[in-house]
Amino acid sequence: MKNTILGSALLCLSVVFGAHADNGAATLCAESLQPRARLVFDAVTASPQPELTLRAVLEARVRELVFMDRLMVSAARPAAEAASQCLRIARNCNGDTC
């Protein structure tokens, strides 16, 4: 009985602290990004829009960065692909659902 209660308590704690770990893990991931990819990561996390898919948010933010001359067209796709890995961690994506 005690083991069941202890196991349940640990499971609950891991779920509660797991949500906070995603932001920390995403931040650690973002710190390793190249400057252009970090620019994309910061732009997306500044206005996350969780109701939209990550792809839709990335497309909109990268397009804005290109139009504002903060990101070159040739660097847009590689930067978005690199940033998407960290953004998937931040949004707690699993599989194809995000």
Side-chain angles (χ1 to χ4, degrees):
M1 181 72 174
K2 286 184 180 180
N3 288 340
T4 305
I5 294 171
L6 181 60
S8 297
L10 288 175
L11 179 63
C12 289
L13 285 174
S14 67
V15 169
V16 169
F17 289 115
H20 297 292
D22 289 338
N23 289 334
T27 303
L28 284 175
C29 178
E31 289 174 0
S32 67
L33 293 174
Q34 296 294 325
R36 292 179 187 131
R38 181 62 192 247
L39 178 68
V40 172
F41 178 85
D42 290 339
V44 172
T45 55
S47 163
Q49 299 177 341
E51 68 278 358
L52 298 175
T53 63
L54 179 59
R55 181 181 179 132
V57 175
L58 267 171
E59 286 176 356
R61 294 293 170 251
V62 169
R63 187 174 290 119
E64 289 173 7
L65 291 171
V66 169
F67 285 144
M68 294 183 335
D69 286 332
R70 297 189 66 205
L71 189 63
M72 293 174 29
V73 174
S74 60
R77 184 181 184 117
E81 288 174 349
S84 72
Q85 298 303 317
C86 300
L87 291 165
R88 290 179 64 80
I89 295 170
R91 292 184 99 173
N92 201 17
C93 296
N94 51 11
D96 292 331
T97 60
C98 188

